[in-house]
Amino acid sequence: MYKILTVDDEERIRALIRKYAEFEGHEVTEAADGMEAIKLCREQDFDIIIMDIMMPELDGFSACREIRKFKQTPIIMLSARGEEYDKINGFELGIDDYVVKPFSPKELMLRIDAVMKRSSHKTDAPETQNEIVEIGGLKADITARLVYVDGKRVDMSPKEYDLFFYMLKNRNIALSREKLICEVWGYDFYGDDRTLDTHIKLLRKSLGPYARLIVTLRGVGYRFESK
């Protein structure tokens, strides 16, 4: 059972999510805007947050940015728009998934399960000796989740780190789109292929001059080159 915070200014959307979530045994708390969501997150802990973008008082992006200052609770963003800009903005803030309205409540429940499984795998990972990879001026401490470009630390979203480190561990190997999605997002990922492309674009931006190391393989996927 998950403790879910649903944030949306539309009461019917909150009621729809509550209906399906409670049917599956989850506990649901509601907030009508970003300000109320921040207040609730300061007062109590939630397992996952379902956050709408367009809301009065404070929009979802701003609320997410504020919550991330003191909580790393998984967040799924809801939006009536499917523009790439919105997705990129959300993923840069560190959200875990993005759902476009109108959505299937059953699919949303599956996405919640997928996000929670991925989050639990991270916390269950055993401690190991730091694994560090250096390619020219690019340095990655995989264990500590730190990346440096020409000596300057680069901050990435959680999923950018996951994607980058997986490609780094499998450098010089052709990785199909299906393989990347399965390994980085999970076999039960319910997003679309564009999510991978969006994260590749974000990753290339973060790597700056080393973006060239990520090679697009037309009709196949991508390869990270260390040469």
Side-chain angles (χ1 to χ4, degrees), residues 210-227:
Y210 300 98
R212 58 181 172 76
L213 298 177
I214 300 177
V215 178
T216 300
L217 305 175
R218 293 188 179 279
V220 179
Y222 299 93
R223 180 179 63 244
F224 190 91
E225 297 187 343
S226 62
K227 302 176 182 178

Side-chain angles (χ1 to χ4, degrees), residues 198-211:
T198 298
H199 280 82
I200 289 289
K201 182 179 294 186
L202 289 171
L203 185 52
R204 282 174 167 156
K205 179 181 177 182
S206 296
L207 296 180
Y210 300 98

